[in-house]
Amino acid sequence: HALQVFVDTFQGHFKDGIATGTRDCRWFAAVYFLGRMLILYGMYAISEDVMCYALAGISLLFLAVFMIILRPYKSGKLNAYHVVLVIYIAIVCFAVTAFDEASIKGQWIIIQLKTFTLVLAALPTLAFVIYIVYRVVRKCYAACKQERVRRLQSRERISEICTSDEEQVQPLLS
């Protein structure tokens, strides 16, 4: 039972083929995991040659195309996020390859590629910070809106109480 729960944590986000018109894609969890491990192994363990980064980039692009065609996740957003992530890592691999090749050619190309690589490295962090700020602002806005609604409701209750008190006092005065 524990093994089934452990495996289901990896396969839970993938299509299970229960809904009509969908296919079972839970096997893609293992393929995706092994594919990433093989790419990393190829990059770091086999050789220190820069061409391994280019091969890793190409294989990541093949993985992205496979993911675009198959769309293995239940959520459309998750499909898009993973495709963008794999393509992003492939671009970084190609940038590293270009950076190494340019170090032979000239100094100004190195500066341009360093800047490009730094921008690529900073983009995920920037996107994460923007997302966190968006979530915080959204929560604060929702809390402020609830507080405004609560205040308006309490004012309406007070005005109802005041009008009902005035109606009760009017007959006594006349």
Side-chain angles (χ1 to χ4, degrees):
H1 177 68
L3 182 62
Q4 184 180 7
V5 171
F6 179 71
V7 171
D8 282 345
T9 59
F10 290 109
Q11 297 177 346
H13 299 289
F14 295 95
K15 294 176 184 173
D16 52 9
I18 293 175
T20 55
T22 62
R23 56 184 166 262
D24 188 9
C25 293
R26 291 177 291 181
W27 56 269
F28 193 75
V31 170
Y32 191 43
F33 178 74
L34 290 175
R36 287 184 293 181
M37 288 302 118
L38 288 174
I39 289 169
L40 287 175
Y41 180 74
M43 283 174 51
Y44 295 113
I46 293 175
S47 174
E48 294 179 7
D49 188 19
V50 133
M51 290 312 291
C52 285
Y53 286 102
L55 292 174
I58 291 169
S59 50
L60 284 169
L61 286 178
F62 280 128
L63 183 63
V65 168
F66 187 61
M67 289 174 69
I68 290 170
I69 293 169
L70 186 62
R71 300 184 55 82
Y73 293 102
K74 292 177 185 175
S75 167
K77 287 182 181 179
L78 208 52
N79 283 315
Y81 293 152
H82 274 268
V83 167
V84 168
L85 177 70
V86 170
I87 290 174
Y88 178 79
I89 295 171
I91 290 171
V92 170
C93 287
F94 292 135
V96 168
T97 304
F99 178 71
D100 190 62
E101 292 295 321
S103 64
I104 301 167
K105 307 247 188 231
Q107 190 67 15
W108 68 275
I109 297 175
I110 294 174
I111 295 170
Q112 298 300 322
L113 285 172
K114 277 185 182 179
T115 306
F116 179 69
T117 307
L118 286 174
V119 168
L120 281 178
L123 279 177
T125 307
L126 181 67
F128 182 71
V129 168
I130 290 171
Y131 177 72
I132 295 296
V133 167
Y134 168 74
R135 293 291 300 244
V136 167
V137 167
R138 194 168 138 201
K139 280 193 179 248
C140 289
Y141 178 74
C144 290
K145 189 175 180 181
Q146 277 183 336
E147 181 64 26
R148 255 188 266 134
V149 168
R150 190 185 61 76
R151 284 183 185 173
L152 284 173
Q153 288 174 345
S154 66
R155 285 181 188 164
E156 288 174 0
R157 281 190 217 127
I158 291 172
S159 66
E160 287 174 5
I161 292 171
C162 290
T163 55
S164 67
D165 286 345
E166 288 175 5
E167 290 172 359
Q168 290 175 358
V169 172
Q170 288 289 340
L172 295 175
L173 292 176
S174 47

